[in-house]
């Protein structure tokens, strides 16, 4: 009988450090093409915003040139940006700045 070599078990490391997930924002930008009513309709139709919230976001886009319309995981924000493009709106994805804006988070629903 031959002697077998000792078998060592793989080393496993467990760390208690949680890696924070980076949050992202969908930002809609002003354009000279779409009407204010159309932008409100898009925000209500796609995000489910109340009329009041949709109008606030539209006015923010109109007066400042941009508004955050959703926040969450990058993949979800990419879906939202693509949807805004399909409606003919200019939109980008940006890392969340933590600026205190009251834009709704995932599953927006117009809660603000």
């Amino acid at each position: 009988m031959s002697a077998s070599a000792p078998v060592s078990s793989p080393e496993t490391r467990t760390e208690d450090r949680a890696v924070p997930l980076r949050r992202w924002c969908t930002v809609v930008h002003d354009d000279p093409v779409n009407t204010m009513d159309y932008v409100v309709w898009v925000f209500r139709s796609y995000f489910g915003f109340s009329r009041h919230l949709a109008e606030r976001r539209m006015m923010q886009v109109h007066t400042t040139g941009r508004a955050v319309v959703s926040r969450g995981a990058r993949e979800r924000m990419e879906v939202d940006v693509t949807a805004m493009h399909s409606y003919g709106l200019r939109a980008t994805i940006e890392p969340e700045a933590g600026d205190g804006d009251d834009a709704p988070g995932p599953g927006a629903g117009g809660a603000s």
Side-chain angles (χ1 to χ4, degrees), residues 34-99:
N34 295 298
T35 66
M36 293 182 190
D37 287 338
Y38 177 71
V39 174
V40 168
W41 178 82
V42 170
F43 291 170
R44 294 191 74 202
S45 298
Y46 181 78
F47 294 108
F49 287 173
S50 66
R51 176 173 293 284
H52 176 73
L53 180 59
E55 288 174 351
R56 272 194 1 221
R57 291 290 177 258
M58 175 276 299
M59 284 307 296
Q60 189 177 10
V61 170
H62 181 67
T63 58
T64 68
R66 56 185 274 134
V68 174
V69 293
S70 64
R71 299 173 189 266
R74 182 180 179 97
E75 294 78 13
R76 179 64 211 177
M77 298 307 95
E78 289 171 352
V79 170
D80 290 350
V81 166
T82 300
M84 293 301 97
H85 292 168
S86 74
Y87 283 104
L89 301 182
R90 288 184 48 220
T92 57
I93 181 173
E94 299 178 3
E96 186 173 43
D99 60 4

